[in-house]
Amino acid sequence: MTDAEKSFKVVLLGEGCVGKTSIVLRYIQNTFNDKHLMTQHAGFFQKNINIGGKRVCLTIWDTAGQERFHALGPIYYRGSQGALVVYDITDNDSFIKAKNWIKELKTMLGNDISLCIIGNKCDLEKTRVISLAEAEAYAKSVGAIHYSTSAKLNKGVEDLFLDLTRRMMSNV
Ligand code: GDP
Ligand code: MG
């Protein structure tokens, strides 16, 4: 399927509607849709990238909306080298949910995984309820990296995947 020298599994986690599918579609296809994309796109996506002269294959797992029924478990994230835990900067509950995911991942996978916490919808600055300072401080306290993204405006998405891939390659 691929002649990549390295391949990584990356999982998307987070409450429904925070923009997980939008982030992956922005990254893979450079598209954005205003509708909730849950049912149209479930499963995984692959992308080959070249980083520092090395060919890397990313397999990015997206949910089929099971997060709404609290039905996502270890089968989904087992064996992944990277996790993108997404919240919506305008939704406090989604930040609480993101923290719960981080706790579960750390309990189940220890330090074998690169953790990213992503504040999505940063185009909606006016209705932001989670401050960047609070989110960054939390990320630091759990050894994760925080990113701000807007899948809608294509902000931060490419950088996030590049940076994550670099971290997975050096296993930090
Ligand atoms: P998922 O359930 O986490 O996969 O979320 P979706 O990707 O289906 O997105 C849920 C809703 O949020 C959809 O209406 C998207 O158009 C919208 N959305 C996703 N990303 C952004 C963003 O960066 N900015 C804004 N304003 N809306 C977004
Ligand atoms: Mg989705």
Side-chain angles (χ1 to χ4, degrees):
M1 165 216 71
T2 168
D3 63 348
E5 295 164 60
K6 281 222 166 244
S7 63
F8 296 111
K9 173 180 170 182
V10 176
V11 286
L12 281 155
L13 287 164
E15 195 164 72
C17 269
V18 294
K20 299 179 297 297
T21 302
S22 299
I23 288 171
V24 73
L25 290 180
R26 171 61 80 190
Y27 183 55
I28 301 279
Q29 306 176 351
N30 200 16
T31 56
F32 180 78
N33 193 313
D34 273 317
K35 296 197 191 74
H36 189 30
L37 305 167
M38 183 176 70
T39 47
Q40 290 107 306
H41 296 277
F44 60 83
F45 300 82
Q46 284 193 317
K47 179 142 172 151
N48 291 305
I49 58 177
N50 202 305
I51 202 161
K54 279 211 165 84
R55 291 185 306 280
V56 178
C57 178
L58 295 183
T59 304
I60 304 162
W61 291 48
D62 188 20
T63 76
Q66 305 98 315
E67 65 274 23
R68 287 188 309 157
F69 316 109
H70 311 286
L72 266 186
I75 285 177
Y76 177 70
Y77 54 72
R78 190 182 290 139
S80 52
Q81 287 79 37
L84 307 178
V85 180
V86 185
Y87 68 96
D88 171 348
I89 65 160
T90 71
D91 176 1
N92 191 51
D93 285 350
S94 75
F95 189 58
I96 293 169
K97 185 72 199 165
K99 289 177 172 175
N100 290 340
W101 275 121
I102 293 284
K103 231 180 265 166
E104 177 166 342
L105 289 170
K106 286 184 90 71
T107 306
M108 300 296 288
L109 304 176
N111 292 324
D112 294 341
I113 184 165
S114 297
L115 294 176
C116 302
I117 301 172
I118 298 166
N120 189 43
K121 309 195 185 182
C122 69
D123 53 288
L124 302 178
E125 190 56 48
K126 274 189 234 145
T127 46
R128 174 193 281 275
V129 294
I130 306 296
S131 79
L132 185 58
E134 177 187 358
E136 284 181 341
Y138 168 71
K140 198 172 171 198
S141 76
V142 292
I145 303 276
H146 183 272
Y147 299 91
S148 299
T149 59
S150 167
K152 183 171 186 168
L153 301 185
N154 196 11
K155 287 221 168 110
V157 176
E158 178 99 30
D159 287 350
L160 148 72
F161 281 99
L162 266 180
D163 203 24
L164 170 66
T165 306
R166 284 201 191 94
R167 291 176 62 216
M168 291 189 299
M169 288 176 83
S170 51
N171 200 14
V172 291

